[in-house]
Amino acid sequence: MPPETTRQAEAPANPYRARLIEGMAHSVAAKGYADTTVADIVREAGASKRSFYECFASKDECLIALYVAASHGALKVLKDSIDPRRDWKTQVEHALGAYLACLASNPALLRTLFIEILGLGDPGLQVRRRMNQELADFVVQVVHAGHVHTPQDAARHTTMAMAVVGGINELVLQAIESGRTADLVELTQPCSALVRAVLAVPE
C-alpha cells in the first residue's frame, strides 16, 4: 500500500522511530495529512522534534515510512491467512477477505495511504510501486506455486499479478472516494474472480 533514504537505512535504529510512525498514523487518522504537523506527530509519539529529525528529514519522509509499515502490516495479514492445505482459489478468497477487512478497519488512515501518498510526487509513486510489487510477488507465490518453470514464466506471471493488484487497488480507491470503506469486504468476491480469471493455472 520508494524506500527509505540511505541516511535512514544506514543509521542505527532509533528507539523513537516506531513511536513517531505510530504518532503520524494517529494524527493523520484524526485530522488528515495536510493538517498534520511535526508538532502533532511528536506530541502523539511522546517524543521531541529533535528525535523526529534524527529519524526523518521531513513530514513527507515520515509518511512514506508509515506507508511502508502499513503496507507490510496488510501483507502480513494476507500471509497469515494462507492455508497451504487448501486449493489456491480458496486460499486467495480467504486471504483477500482478511486483507480487505484490514484495510477497512481505519478509514481515515486508509484514505491517506491510498490517496494522499500520491501527493508526494515521485517519492510517493515510487514507494507505492515498490509495495505493489511485493504484493504481486506474493500473489504469484501463492497462485503459481509449482507452475513456474522458467525465468520467462516468472516474468509473465509477475506482470499479470501486477495487473491484478492494480485492479484491486482501483476498486479500493473507488470505495474510498464514494465513502464506502466500511463495505470493502464486499469486494472479496469480485477481487477473487479477477484473480481467478487473470491468473488461472492448470488444475
Side-chain angles (χ1 to χ4, degrees):
M1 241 284 206
E4 306 163 295
T5 63
T6 301
R7 174 181 62 80
Q8 288 175 291
E10 294 178 350
N14 188 299
Y16 286 103
R17 180 180 170 81
R19 285 167 55 179
L20 289 162
I21 292 173
E22 188 69 18
M24 168 69 91
H26 285 302
S27 186
V28 298
K31 59 195 300 186
Y33 180 68
D35 292 329
T36 288
T37 64
V38 171
D40 294 325
I41 298 167
V42 299
R43 183 176 60 253
E44 291 283 354
S48 66
K49 285 190 175 182
R50 176 179 177 178
S51 295
F52 179 89
Y53 287 110
E54 286 175 352
C55 295
F56 305 107
S58 65
K59 187 179 79 163
D60 287 358
E61 194 174 276
C62 187
L63 178 63
I64 287 173
L66 171 59
Y67 184 90
V68 171
S71 297
H72 283 158
L75 183 56
K76 184 177 186 302
V77 168
L78 268 176
K79 291 180 176 179
D80 290 348
S81 300
I82 292 298
D83 183 352
R85 296 170 298 180
R86 299 180 176 184
D87 65 274
W88 73 266
K89 294 177 183 178
T90 303
Q91 289 185 62
V92 165
E93 184 166 342
H94 181 69
L96 280 172
Y99 174 74
L100 292 167
C102 175
L103 295 184
S105 65
N106 193 331
L109 182 59
L110 180 66
R111 182 177 183 86
T112 293
L113 296 179
F114 265 76
I115 296 178
E116 296 190 61
I117 190 71
L118 301 179
L120 301 187
D122 190 57
L125 290 171
Q126 287 184 34
V127 74
R128 183 172 181 269
R129 189 173 301 116
R130 173 189 164 196
M131 293 300 101
N132 283 348
Q133 186 63 62
E134 288 191 19
L135 182 54
D137 290 343
F138 176 67
V139 170
V140 170
Q141 177 186 330
V142 172
V143 176
H144 290 287
H147 295 278
V148 177
H149 304 295
T150 67
Q152 291 77 15
D153 285 341
R156 182 173 66 256
H157 296 328
T158 298
T159 297
M160 298 303 289
M162 181 61 82
V164 168
V165 169
I168 292 173
N169 281 343
E170 187 61 29
L171 291 175
V172 172
L173 279 169
Q174 288 180 358
I176 294 170
E177 291 168 353
S178 60
R180 295 184 293 106
T181 52
D183 302 325
L184 277 178
V185 175
E186 295 178 7
L187 294 176
T188 301
Q189 290 297 326
C191 288
S192 298
L194 176 62
V195 173
R196 291 194 300 270
V198 177
L199 297 176
V201 296
E203 297 292 342

